[in-house]
Amino acid sequence: MAYATTNPYTGEVLATFPDATDNEVRQAIDDAHAAFLDWRDTPFATRTAVMTKAAQILRAEADDFARLLTLEMGKLFAEAKAEVELSAAIFDYYAEHAESLLAPEKLPVSDPRSGDAVLVHQPLGVLLAIEPWNFPYYQIARIIAPQLSAGNTVLLKHASNVPQSAAIFQTLMKRAGLPDGAFRNLYPTRGQVEMILNDPRVCGAALTGSEGAGSVIASQAGKALKKTTMELGGADAFVVLEDADLEKTAKWAVFGRHWNAGQVCVSSKRVIVVDAVYDRFLELYTAGVAALKAGDPMDPETTLAPLSSQGAAKEIRENIAKAVAHGATATEVGPRVPETGAFVQPTILTGMTGDNPARLWEFFGPVSMIFRARDEADAIRIANDTPYGLGGSVFTKDTARGVEVAKKIHTGMVFVNHPTMVKADLPFGGVGRSGYGRELIGLGIKEFVNHKLIDVVDIDAPF
Ligand code: NAP
C-alpha cells in the first residue's frame, strides 16, 4: 500500500490508505466535470466567499492544521504554522484579486478594421494537480486558490507520504462552501494518473516535483495534447560579493539552506563567495550551522528538523559520499544529530571543482556546497553552471550592483539581500530543468484559462 503516514521523527507508521479503485477515479472525474459546468458560471463573489472562508478556517485552527504537517513530514511546528498562514494568505490574495486579474482586456488595435477586440479569460475544465510532500498545504493552496477562483475544478494526486494533509484540505474546502466534486483528493496509482490525463474532460496538469516525475507527466500529457506547468527541482545560487554585510549574510545563508530541513526547491543550495571574503564568510557560516539544534520538531527549542523519511536521509548520505569520491571535502558540523529519526548531520562541502558531477545535483537536506569565486564575474559563471534555473540571491551593500548581477543569473527569480522567498503576492517558477510556467499572482491564475478573443467588427468595414 503506497499511501501512508509515517512519523519521520519516530519512524512509526501511523496510518495507511488503500489505492483508489478505477471506479473511484472515474467517479471523481465525472463529479469534477459536473461541478465544473456549474462552477465556471458562478459569480466571482461566490468564489471569493469560499476562498475567504478557507483562509478563516485555516487561521482559526492553525495549531491543528500545523500539527498534522509536523506529524506527516516532520517539519518544525513553527514552520508548519508559518505554512498554514502562507496558505491562508494565498486564499486571501485570490479572494481579493481574482476578478480584476481575469477582467476582460481591451486590445490596443491600430488597424480600424481590426474591430473592437477584447480578450476574455475563461476557465478550461478539470485540472489534475500532482504535488510534493515538502510543503503539503502550500503546494495545494497555490494551485487550487487560483484555479478554483478562475472557475476550473481540480483533482489532486498528492505525495504518498502526506495522505492525511491531502484529505484534510478536501474537508477544508467543503467546509468553506466549495461544491462537492470541485476539488477531490485521490490516492491514485501511476496508471490511474495516466487515465485521468487521457480523459477529454481533463484540460491539463500542474506538477510540482522532481525532474523525473515532470518528464513522465509532461510526456503523457503531451501525447494527449494537454497543457502542463512544471515546477521542478532547483539548486539556487547564493552569491556573496566582497561588499556584503558578512555577519547578516551568513545568517541568511544558514537560514536559506536549512529551513524546512533543507528540503525546499529554492533552498540556497550553492553558496558562492568571492575570494576576498571567502575565509571569513566560511568561518561565520560554519559557526551558524554548528549552532543548529536537531531534535523533536514539536519542541520549540529545535531548529533543525528530521528529513521526510529514512529513505531520503540515506540517499543524501550516499550522494555526499559520491561528492567526496569525486574530490570534494565534506565537513560534518555541529553536535551529533539524534540517532533515531530521519536526520542527516549538517555537512559542508568545499573544494567542489568544475569536474565534480555533484556540483550539479540537488541536495535535498542540510548539505551546503560552498564555492570560492575569483570575483563577481566568476561568481556569476558558477551560479549559471547548473542545469536548474529556479531562484537565487545576491548579497551586496550596493543594491544597484546586486540588480545588475541578478539580471545575469539565468533563473526565474533572483532576490537581492535575501534568500529566495515564497510569498502569496510574488510569482513562483523557473526556467531550464526547473520547469516552465508560473504559479501565483496573475501569471498563475492565467495558466489554465482560455484567452479568448471576442471581436466586434463593423459589418461595413472594408475587407
Ligand atoms: P517526486 O518524487 O517527483 O514527487 C512529486 C509528486 O509526483 C508526488 O505526488 C509523486 O507521487 C508524483 N509522482 C512521481 N512520479 C510520478 C509518476 N511517474 N506518475 C505520477 N505521479 C508521479 O518529488 P519529491 O521527491 O516528492 O519532491 C522533491 C522534488 O520536488 C525536488 O526536486 C524539489 O526541488 C521539487 N520541488 C519543486 C518545487 C517548485 O515549485 N519548483 C517545489 C517543491 C518541490 P508519489 O509520492 O506517489 O511518488
Side-chain angles (χ1 to χ4, degrees):
M1 211 169 292
Y3 292 87
T5 299
T6 304
N7 183 333
Y9 182 56
T10 62
E12 203 183 341
V13 179
L14 300 170
T16 57
F17 300 82
D19 290 345
T21 63
D22 285 356
N23 274 345
E24 277 167 355
V25 173
R26 272 191 283 271
Q27 187 65 54
I29 303 172
D30 287 350
D31 293 349
H33 181 65
F36 170 69
L37 297 180
D38 285 335
W39 185 246
R40 67 180 174 188
D41 295 324
T42 52
F44 275 103
T46 306
R47 300 180 206 163
T48 294
V50 172
M51 299 302 131
T52 303
K53 184 71 186 165
Q56 282 168 355
I57 297 171
L58 281 173
R59 290 197 177 100
E61 299 169 23
D63 281 12
D64 292 342
F65 275 97
R67 215 170 282 117
L68 182 56
L69 285 188
T70 300
L71 190 77
E72 282 208 303
M73 62 71 64
K75 69 173 63 196
L76 300 179
F77 183 62
E79 291 183 338
K81 281 189 78 169
E83 181 176 340
V84 173
E85 172 52 35
L86 175 62
S87 306
I90 293 171
F91 283 118
D92 278 345
Y93 180 90
Y94 285 104
E96 188 179 347
H97 299 293
E99 185 166 11
S100 60
L101 291 171
L102 294 178
E105 292 170 53
K106 189 169 164 40
L107 297 180
V109 295
S110 47
D111 186 336
R113 289 170 302 177
S114 294
D116 237 344
V118 174
L119 268 192
V120 296
H121 309 289
Q122 295 181 317
L124 282 174
V126 180
L127 180 72
L128 172 63
I130 302 177
E131 303 299 335
W133 46 263
N134 62 344
F135 291 92
Y137 296 155
Y138 156 74
Q139 301 289 2
I140 305 177
R142 84 174 183 183
I143 195 73
I144 68 171
Q147 296 312 323
L148 294 173
S149 295
N152 291 315
T153 57
V154 182
L155 294 174
L156 172 68
K157 185 261 174 279
H158 214 323
S160 48
N161 56 338
V162 289
Q164 296 191 60
S165 303
I168 207 172
F169 241 68
Q170 181 178 312
T171 310
L172 165 74
M173 297 315 290
K174 194 175 163 59
R175 289 172 64 200
L178 190 71
D180 204 29
F183 171 57
R184 181 75 53 86
N185 170 54
L186 286 166
Y187 299 130
T189 62
R190 299 280 194 266
Q192 288 165 344
V193 166
E194 195 168 6
M195 178 176 133
I196 296 169
L197 278 172
N198 280 317
D199 190 289
R201 295 165 294 180
V202 173
C203 68
L207 178 138
T208 298
S210 61
E211 285 175 79
S215 169
V216 169
I217 297 302
S219 312
Q220 290 175 353
K223 241 185 198 169
L225 295 177
K226 304 283 171 74
K227 180 175 176 177
T228 52
T229 55
M230 291 289 152
E231 298 292 346
L232 309 179
D236 286 13
F238 184 105
V239 172
V240 184
L241 298 178
E242 69 285 350
D243 62 348
D245 179 324
L246 287 192
E247 272 81 11
K248 289 181 186 167
T249 303
K251 276 190 188 144
W252 277 124
V254 173
F255 169 79
R257 177 61 283 217
H258 296 90
W259 66 295
N260 215 40
Q263 306 165 110
V264 188
C265 50
V266 290
S267 293
S268 308
K269 299 185 183 105
R270 298 178 303 131
V271 181
I272 303 162
V273 189
V274 295
D275 185 51
V277 293
Y278 179 93
D279 293 336
R280 176 67 184 138
F281 177 85
L282 186 56
E283 209 176 292
L284 290 166
Y285 184 79
T286 306
V289 178
L292 293 170
K293 188 169 176 296
D296 181 351
M298 287 302 293
D299 181 346
E301 298 291 308
T302 303
T303 52
L304 186 67
L307 298 193
S308 64
S309 69
Q310 289 288 359
K314 180 168 172 278
E315 189 183 329
I316 290 198
R317 286 190 214 103
E318 286 168 0
N319 283 343
I320 293 171
K322 285 182 198 160
V324 170
H326 283 95
T329 301
T331 308
E332 294 192 338
V333 181
R336 302 310 298 166
V337 294
E339 279 179 14
T340 54
F343 288 97
V344 166
Q345 188 66 39
T347 302
I348 295 178
L349 291 172
T350 51
M352 299 285 291
T353 49
D355 58 355
N356 191 329
R359 77 191 193 286
L360 306 176
W361 300 344
E362 181 188 27
F363 283 88
F364 222 53
V367 180
S368 314
M369 290 193 263
I370 315 274
F371 297 81
R372 188 193 287 269
R374 280 190 304 279
D375 50 21
E376 176 187 303
D378 197 37
I380 294 167
R381 179 191 64 75
I382 298 169
N384 290 328
D385 180 26
T386 172
Y388 295 112
L390 198 51
S393 348
V394 185
F395 279 74
T396 166
K397 283 192 186 125
D398 180 349
T399 50
R401 179 187 182 195
V403 169
E404 289 312 306
V405 172
K407 286 181 191 165
K408 293 177 186 152
I409 296 179
H410 304 144
T411 62
M413 308 165 276
V414 184
F415 292 77
V416 177
N417 292 331
H418 205 285
T420 309
M421 235 193 304
V422 182
K423 293 278 176 209
D425 51 5
L426 296 176
F428 196 97
V431 296
R433 302 291 292 179
S434 293
Y436 49 82
R438 288 291 181 276
E439 301 230 34
L440 298 172
I441 70 158
L443 297 171
I445 202 171
K446 287 184 178 160
E447 286 286 3
F448 293 96
V449 291
N450 176 10
H451 304 289
K452 185 193 284 181
L453 168 68
I454 299 182
D455 198 1
V456 179
V457 185
D458 181 348
I459 199 164
D460 294 321
F463 185 65

